[in-house]
Amino acid sequence: MTDQRIEGIATEIGGTAQTGLGKLTDNPKLELKGRLNQAKGKAQDLYGQAIDSLDRLVERAPADLQDPARTGLDFARRKPLLTTAIVAGLGLLLAGAGRRR
């Protein structure tokens, strides 16, 4: 289990508590902040799951590809927002290229 997953689960639980406290005290700002933290935690947990899956794939990769793949995964662990932006940008480029044909 990666740090992203642990932090994501903790953030999601904290968001759930904030949402409940916001409802209990009739504080819509706290409730909204809790819902945002829940979403942030869930996204962070999903990102961690993806990293874990890729880590398992790297272990099965050919030996000459494992070191570069691990370097890429280390970058993804250190810079999750940048990695997400890069992957989203590549997805948009590929989707655009697929429509032209």
Side-chain angles (χ1 to χ4, degrees):
M1 185 177 259
T2 60
D3 291 343
Q4 289 90 0
R5 292 196 64 198
I6 294 167
E7 290 174 18
I9 291 168
T11 303
E12 189 175 357
I13 290 170
T16 302
Q18 281 180 319
T19 301
L21 187 59
K23 285 181 181 179
L24 187 65
T25 60
D26 198 30
N27 185 340
K29 285 185 180 180
L30 185 60
E31 187 177 344
L32 178 62
K33 188 175 179 181
R35 291 195 189 279
L36 290 174
N37 280 334
Q38 280 178 304
K40 178 183 171 186
K42 186 172 279 301
Q44 198 171 9
D45 180 36
L46 288 172
Y47 185 79
Q49 288 177 19
I51 292 293
D52 285 348
S53 296
L54 289 173
D55 205 18
R56 286 189 296 273
L57 284 174
V58 168
E59 291 172 4
R60 289 187 266 157
D64 58 332
L65 296 178
Q66 286 183 358
D67 285 337
R70 284 196 179 105
T71 303
L73 280 176
D74 289 340
F75 175 82
R77 284 187 180 101
R78 286 190 319 265
K79 309 261 186 199
L81 290 177
L82 182 59
T83 303
T84 303
I86 291 169
V87 170
L90 287 172
L92 287 173
L93 286 173
L94 291 173
R99 273 190 246 142
R100 291 183 187 159
R101 290 181 179 192

